[in-house]
């Protein structure tokens, strides 16, 4: 049997994805466990949520460091000290340097609220509505030096509804995120999804397009 995969989750905000990932692992054998939740600011709501779940937490306050390099060195040291083999960014609102990304290459994931490669960056829900798109969703991807540009492992996809607002569709996208992020962690823990030398494999075949979860989450 495979050993349980130790996962660290890095957050800046409320941590609902962190909670979904942690709860999934404690309610069923997902093959991974959350060993630490780390925030870049003491006010991140997810720190209290993690503590309530009994997960060890730490804060690496970005304000305490002179520059990005010093902050990232502290974050990397904190992450390495946890023994985590997978680092999950979940609402972490900082852009990481290529050096940091290289250090954690192949064991660093992010979730982005769009069907990448569409709508990299911010304000994705409003931009999807303004464009009149028929579908929206979220993507879990490996992190590379290109912002929101690493290989996508899984997407949750849902239809835009007539009358949707950024708030209403964001809520449904979040519900989908809470399904796909734990599922990707589970696939990685099982060895079914793996990063080898810059290529993502699914069941030992190169993954040529993202795994799709079709789901109108609030239906
Ligand atoms: C999510 O929408 C995620 O896609 C984006 O930041 C948000 C984090 O939400 N990267 P939460 O803190 O997990 O609730």
């Amino acid at each position: 049997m495979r050993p349980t995969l130790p996962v660290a989750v890095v957050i800046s905000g409320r941590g609902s994805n962190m909670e979904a990932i942690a709860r999934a692992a404690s309610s069923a054998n997902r093959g991974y466990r959350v060993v630490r939740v780390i925030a870049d600011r003491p006010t991140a709501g997810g720190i209290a949520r993690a503590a309530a779940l009994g997960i060890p937490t730490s804060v690496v306050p970005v304000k305490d460091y002179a520059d990005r390099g010093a902050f990232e060195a502290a974050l990397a040291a904190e992450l390495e000290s946890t023994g985590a083999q997978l680092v999950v960014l979940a609402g972490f609102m900082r852009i990481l340097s290529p050096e940091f990304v290289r250090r954690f290459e192949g064991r660093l994931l992010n979730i982005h609220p769009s069907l990448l490669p569409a709508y990299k960056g911010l304000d994705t829900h409003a931009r999807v509505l303004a464009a009149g798109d028929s579908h929206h969703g979220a993507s879990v991807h490996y992190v590379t030096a290109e912002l929101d540009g690493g290989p996508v492992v899984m997407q949750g996809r849902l239809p835009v509804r007539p009358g949707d607002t950024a708030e209403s569709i964001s809520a449904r996208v979040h519900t989908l995120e809470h399904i796909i992020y734990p599922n990707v962690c589970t696939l990685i823990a099982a060895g079914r999804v793996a990063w080898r030398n810059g290529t993502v494999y699914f069941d030992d075949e190169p993954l040529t397009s993202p795994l799709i979860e079709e789901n109108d989450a609030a239906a």
Side-chain angles (χ1 to χ4, degrees):
M1 234 178 70
R2 285 175 168 269
T4 308
L5 181 77
V7 175
V9 186
V10 185
I11 62 169
S12 297
R14 63 183 167 167
S16 73
N17 278 283
M18 173 282 299
E19 182 160 358
I21 289 165
R23 282 191 184 280
S26 50
S27 66
N29 182 9
R30 293 282 196 138
Y32 69 85
R33 67 183 192 286
V34 178
V35 295
R36 185 78 66 88
V37 172
I38 302 177
D40 61 350
R41 61 194 74 178
T43 50
I47 286 292
R49 289 171 96 143
L53 293 167
I55 301 167
T57 62
S58 33
V59 179
V60 181
V62 69
K63 290 217 299 268
D64 289 4
Y65 298 90
D67 54 31
R68 180 165 84 166
F71 166 72
E72 288 188 349
L75 178 62
E78 191 68 23
L79 282 168
E80 301 288 14
S81 80
T82 69
Q85 289 169 23
L86 181 66
V87 176
V88 164
L89 307 179
F92 179 62
M93 296 308 288
R94 320 207 70 81
I95 296 174
L96 293 164
S97 69
E99 293 71 33
F100 184 97
V101 170
R102 242 191 319 275
R103 179 163 172 179
F104 289 92
E105 185 184 77
R107 48 189 181 127
L108 188 59
L109 291 178
N110 184 41
I111 189 159
H112 181 75
S114 80
L115 297 170
L116 290 171
Y119 304 109
K120 297 176 179 179
L122 298 174
D123 296 326
T124 59
H125 309 299
R127 288 157 65 203
V128 164
L129 293 177
D133 290 359
S134 64
H135 285 80
H136 185 28
S139 305
V140 175
H141 64 95
Y142 280 97
V143 178
T144 61
E146 190 197 339
L147 182 65
D148 299 329
V152 178
V153 177
M154 186 179 286
Q155 290 184 324
R157 192 168 180 273
L158 47 73
V160 177
R161 292 180 183 164
D164 254 333
T165 61
E167 290 69 35
S168 66
I169 200 154
S170 147
R172 297 208 308 289
V173 168
H174 254 94
T175 306
L176 259 184
E177 291 184 348
H178 300 162
I179 297 168
I180 63 174
Y181 221 173
N183 285 350
V184 172
C185 294
T186 305
L187 288 169
I188 291 174
R192 296 191 62 196
V193 166
W195 167 287
R196 291 179 209 133
N197 299 321
T199 301
V200 179
Y201 289 82
F202 177 58
D203 287 344
D204 290 325
E205 298 289 335
L207 184 65
T208 50
S209 58
L211 306 169
I212 302 284
E213 166 86 24
E214 288 273 1
N215 193 325
D216 191 354

